[in-house]
Amino acid sequence: MKFGVIGTGAIGGYYGGRLAQAGEDVHFLVHRDYNEMKESLRVDSINGSFIIEHPNVYISSNDMPKVDVVLVALKTINNMLLPTLLSPIIDNDTIVILLQNGICVEEDLEKMRPNLQLVAGLGFICSTKIGPAHISHQDFGALTLANYSCRDDWKIEHIADIFRNANIPTDIVEYNFGRWRKAIWNLTFNGLTVVLQRDTQYLVSNNETLELCRTIMNEVISIAHAIGVNELKESHINDNINATKSMKPYAPSMKVDYDNHRPMEVYYLYTKPLMVAELHGVNCPKLKWLENELRKISM
């Protein structure tokens, strides 16, 4: 299969790099570090560091070939660009995997570009872009695929096998379960690390902030239950807390964006979930507080 990567940052660079390292045909759309990326993509990884010499890189998707699978790792604040970026590289059979945080991202993209074959790509990974064409992968790395509108489930199984062969542990779950399971961690730690100016390790090691984390996670699960995702339980909260305790102190993507004076993904990480909560009559005071504080900071 031929892969395209739109957004060669911490996530797209890692997963796309792993595929290229495994010998897959991968084509990267890059922006600021095009010249550096033409020479090499470097990934420093706990699972084995590697360098891709002279990868297939492009500064415009108009120059890219048609691909079988697109990995979209743009920040969601740029999703209005996706219909234009995708058009030159997809056909009716192309599968678009959104490696993006938040809720309703597939639904909104489908409204902008109907008839796409969309799959949610949900990475549990600690990865940061630390320089031009240079990724630091610090922990975890598993990927979950969740079908939103792909017509053929067998294709998703085949893609999952390709990821596994590229040293990316991959599973497949139901769409809403996958999105909301990931939201338990994302909606808690992305915003809190910014608002409280603390890393993940502090948040789960201090009794007061740990209780706040648990409260937010419970609110996320309450929204999920309201839309019928009843599989999420207290055990998922404990799993997220324990996983975070085991990882190295980490600054999630929203904290990295804040520290680098870039726009933050408040809309899909907080506003959209709260819109779902309001629609179903679920009260989420801590999530509302967090969204409000993030909007103040973003002004």
Side-chain angles (χ1 to χ4, degrees), residues 15-16 26 37 68 87-88 104 117 120 150 169 181 204 212 259 263 265:
Y15 288 123
V26 186
M37 185 86 172
D68 302 298
S87 289
C104 297
Q117 296 200 69
C150 179
R181 183 180 65 174
V204 294
L212 178 58
D259 289 344
E265 297 180 286

Side-chain angles (χ1 to χ4, degrees), residues 119-120 122 144-148 156 171-179 181:
V119 175
L122 309 160
T144 293
L145 302 179
N147 190 2
Y148 181 80
I156 301 176
D171 67 343
I172 301 171
V173 301
E174 188 275 330
Y175 172 76
N176 280 314
F177 172 77
R179 273 283 170 209
R181 183 180 65 174

Side-chain angles (χ1 to χ4, degrees), residues 4 26 33 37 61 91 110 131 178 181 193 199 225 238 257 276:
V26 186
D33 48 357
M37 185 86 172
S61 62
D91 56 30
E110 187 176 51
R181 183 180 65 174
T193 53
D199 63 31
H225 286 177
N238 294 331
D257 287 338
V276 176

